[in-house]
Amino acid sequence: MLSLRPPPWRGDSGGVGLVRHGSATVDGVFCVASLVPSPPALVPELGGAAGAAADSAVTVLRGAVLKAVGELAGQAKRWIVVGVAESDGVFDAETAGTFQGYGVDVRIGLSESANLENPDRGLPLPVLIGGWLREQVAPDVVAVARLVAADASAQECLAYGARLRAELDSATDRYGVLVVGDGAATLSLKAPRYLDERAEAVQAEIDRALSSGDRTAIADLDQKLCAELDVAGRPAFQVLAGLFTAERTDPRVETLYAAAPFGVAYHVSVWYPGAAA
């Protein structure tokens, strides 16, 4: 089970909030991680006509995301949702929220026991996305969310991911990790942050690193440059890399989607412990 204390990943050598159960000897109970982006248009009610069309970019993206999360649900009934926000924080399984701030009052919970009658109307987007995906793919899953501050350094993110992996591997339940994060938001004239000519090359390297599970390249992402290009998911990508720090070789990765249909880079992949294929 999971405790609710905040993740002590800044200047603290403690754990990330998972409780070890006695002398549990289960090996490798962390079984899979799925990486998905966070556009609110994933939710059909928020996507308008474009989001409903069978051949639209949103529909194709949504299909890839649901497939990646389906793989997570097939292997674990307890999830850790990792995302990025202005400050770090923890959201327990009783958390409920709504997409009302994005235009429609679609309510989500991180577990079946969450009280949807009293949702948090300011819940950060990664938590909303994680809750919505849980409800779409595996309503019986129990999730908690842990958010990393946007200004966290690579070292902090990698260390947090490594500690999280160690605690997941010592728990008695099987856990999956759902990582929520976007790539560069500066890839076209219509992008949220407009076009930055540096973004294409940087995003190409990010996609290559994510698709190959290249932990070193992900760890080496330039924090300042990523901030300038609005690579909002950079800390989440580095926590993901940190989950696999202790492995001898890079993880095996199945990439399901990598494109920027709206000037924002979206990457969808499933990461498995063990040697790369």
Side-chain angles (χ1 to χ4, degrees), residues 38-272:
S38 62
L42 285 174
V43 181
E45 293 89 336
L46 301 175
D55 59 348
S56 72
V58 174
T59 301
V60 173
L61 172 61
R62 184 185 300 122
V65 168
L66 292 174
K67 182 177 180 181
V69 178
E71 181 64 19
L72 194 71
Q75 298 199 39
K77 295 303 181 184
R78 292 187 177 277
W79 297 356
I80 308 293
V81 179
V82 173
V84 182
E86 290 186 5
S87 59
D88 51 290
V90 173
F91 297 84
D92 64 41
E94 301 302 312
T95 298
T98 173
F99 282 92
Q100 188 170 35
Y102 295 91
V104 181
D105 187 17
V106 176
R107 300 187 179 191
I108 63 88
L110 292 183
S111 68
E112 288 183 306
S113 61
N115 181 11
L116 300 185
E117 296 301 315
N118 185 32
D120 182 341
R121 299 187 184 277
L123 206 60
L125 183 58
V127 186
L128 291 171
I129 292 293
W132 182 78
L133 289 170
R134 183 199 68 81
E135 292 182 351
Q136 301 307 301
V137 176
D140 58 333
V141 158
V142 175
V144 298
R146 303 189 180 279
L147 301 185
V148 180
D151 64 350
S153 70
Q155 182 178 4
E156 289 172 324
C157 295
L158 293 165
Y160 182 60
R163 287 201 300 273
L164 176 58
R165 171 64 181 272
E167 295 207 27
L168 292 178
D169 280 346
S170 68
T172 55
D173 297 311
R174 287 173 63 84
Y175 278 89
V177 178
L178 178 60
V179 180
V180 183
D182 298 343
T186 49
L187 287 165
S188 76
L189 295 175
K190 295 183 179 180
R193 290 280 301 276
Y194 198 66
L195 174 67
D196 189 311
E197 294 181 354
R198 302 171 296 172
E200 183 176 356
V202 171
Q203 185 59 47
E205 172 58 15
I206 291 173
D207 284 333
R208 184 207 63 77
L210 291 173
S211 292
S212 60
D214 187 337
R215 297 166 294 177
T216 299
I218 296 169
D220 288 342
L221 290 175
D222 186 293
Q223 181 175 353
K224 181 174 183 294
L225 179 59
C226 284
E228 291 173 356
L229 300 178
D230 201 12
V231 183
R234 188 272 309 168
F237 301 158
Q238 290 175 327
V239 171
L240 175 60
L243 283 169
F244 296 88
T245 295
E247 306 239 350
R248 278 191 312 108
T249 59
D250 288 332
R252 179 168 61 91
V253 179
E254 179 184 4
T255 298
L256 302 175
Y257 185 97
F262 312 111
V264 181
Y266 300 137
H267 192 103
V268 181
S269 54
V270 184
W271 292 46
Y272 302 92

Side-chain angles (χ1 to χ4, degrees), residues 19-35:
V19 176
R20 293 179 174 84
H21 296 268
S23 58
T25 58
V26 178
D27 182 34
V29 292
F30 163 71
C31 50
V32 65
S34 291
L35 171 62

